[in-house]
Amino acid sequence: MNAQPALRVGLETDLLGFTQLLRCLHIPHRVTEERDAQVVWVTDPGLVDEVRNLYARYPQGDTAGEISGIRPAITRPGFKEQLRASPVTAGVLIITLVVAAISLLGDRYEVVRWLTFLDFRLYDTYIEFYPVSYTLEQNQWWRFVSPMFLHFGVLHLAMNSLWYWELGRRIEFRQKGWMLLALTVLFSLAANLVQYWWSGPALFGGLSGVLYGLLGHCWLFQLLAPTPAYRMPKGVVIMMLAWLGICLTGAIDVLGFGAIANGAHVGGLLSGCVTGVLGGLIARTRR
């Protein structure tokens, strides 16, 4: 279902209270900034008049608490509607799930070797990686981003998929699908290059580097140009940064939970912070 513009107000208007009211009433919406206005979008055309009527009555939100305890007969968008509203997010996750199934979560090396950062030859007891020059000579450019589709375990796949679904939809909602796709490719490239520089030839993969990029992007964008789509509990950012710090100490490896691609996490986060600052400054300038 395509989003519909329901309300257009000046850039100087504070919509925080009103968007809080919409969230309280479970009305799916997003807010975008144009050159001369803020636009409130809804995913259901039937809610356009509802939003306009609410704004006419409560432009600052439900400050008197008149309707905060009343839940109208408005249903949340179903899973199909969410997929239609977030095609890029869904597409990346579908590819990830298909790769996980075909590769048996990393156990089928004949499949895995086509998506790793470096091609390799498998022997009985070890893996021999081809050099980067081989990748360039064979024009296998996809290898610089394709490791993000590889996952090595159900928990690895589930956690990364859930976080990409959460963060990807926010960016697709606020900055369109093409921007999410561009950021995903950029963060994957940065994460994989830093991980290769960090560890040398090794078998690594997963969306976690991209996720740290998306987190950094939303975090700093929100600090510079606040928008409801990127507003997250502070605990989320603190938790993710704390987890990164714990992983960097090597404690996870010592406890036997497997190797962590710390370089990918750091590379993704740093590149995400850069795009978040640039995007936030541009949005702030337009306001």
Side-chain angles (χ1 to χ4, degrees):
M1 185 177 295
N2 294 327
Q4 300 290 323
L7 190 67
R8 183 184 296 267
V9 297
L11 293 174
E12 72 285 354
T13 303
D14 183 3
L15 285 174
L16 179 60
F18 183 66
T19 56
Q20 289 177 340
L21 172 61
L22 295 181
R23 286 196 299 275
C24 177
L25 298 178
H26 306 300
I27 298 179
H29 67 282
R30 66 184 173 99
V31 180
T32 62
E33 293 91 12
E34 298 181 357
R35 291 189 177 276
D36 59 347
Q38 300 177 83
V39 183
V40 179
W41 302 75
V42 293
T43 56
D44 184 350
L47 297 176
V48 171
D49 291 337
E50 180 78 18
V51 170
R52 290 174 179 172
N53 291 335
L54 282 171
Y55 186 75
R57 297 174 59 190
Y58 308 101
Q60 302 301 320
D62 186 20
T63 56
E66 297 179 15
I67 61 175
S68 59
I70 302 175
R71 181 175 179 175
I74 298 176
T75 59
R76 293 175 179 270
F79 184 63
K80 291 183 178 180
E81 286 72 20
Q82 293 182 52
L83 288 177
R84 294 192 189 100
S86 310
V88 174
T89 305
V92 171
L93 289 178
I94 289 172
I95 295 174
T96 301
L97 295 175
V98 169
V99 170
I102 295 176
S103 68
L104 299 180
L105 288 172
D107 287 340
R108 293 183 63 186
Y109 285 98
E110 63 272 21
V111 175
V112 171
R113 66 182 293 257
W114 285 102
L115 298 173
T116 50
F117 188 79
L118 297 176
D119 194 5
F120 61 83
R121 182 181 300 171
L122 181 64
Y123 295 92
D124 290 338
T125 57
Y126 69 98
I127 295 176
E128 178 187 1
F129 288 94
Y130 292 97
V132 175
S133 59
Y134 178 83
T135 299
L136 300 177
E137 290 170 0
Q138 298 298 316
N139 292 319
Q140 296 178 351
W141 301 98
W142 70 85
R143 292 188 180 277
F144 293 116
V145 297
S146 60
M148 71 177 179
F149 296 117
L150 291 172
H151 289 82
F152 306 97
V154 175
L155 184 60
H156 188 210
L157 174 66
M159 292 300 295
N160 283 352
S161 297
L162 289 173
W163 275 109
Y164 190 84
W165 177 249
E166 175 63 29
L167 296 174
R169 286 186 302 156
R170 290 172 180 264
I171 293 176
E172 190 166 4
F173 198 68
R174 171 64 178 79
Q175 292 183 271
K176 306 298 183 182
W178 67 268
M179 178 60 74
L180 173 61
L181 181 60
L183 291 176
T184 297
V185 172
L186 174 62
F187 298 155
S188 180
L189 176 63
N192 294 330
L193 289 174
V194 173
Q195 181 59 40
Y196 176 71
W197 171 81
W198 190 289
S199 65
L203 187 62
F204 60 84
L207 276 167
S208 53
V210 174
L211 296 179
Y212 270 101
L214 299 181
L215 177 70
H217 179 83
C218 293
W219 175 31
L220 293 187
F221 192 111
Q222 172 68 9
L223 289 177
L224 293 171
T227 174
Y230 292 169
R231 186 179 297 114
M232 291 182 288
K234 292 182 179 179
V236 171
V237 176
I238 294 174
M239 179 193 69
M240 295 291 283
L241 295 179
W243 174 252
L244 176 60
I246 293 172
C247 292
L248 288 173
T249 66
I252 303 301
D253 295 347
V254 173
L255 293 174
F257 290 107
I260 303 295
N262 292 314
H265 295 173
V266 172
L269 179 62
L270 292 178
S271 58
C273 288
V274 171
T275 62
V277 168
L278 293 176
L281 289 175
I282 292 173
R284 190 169 182 172
T285 301
R286 288 178 176 176
R287 292 180 183 180

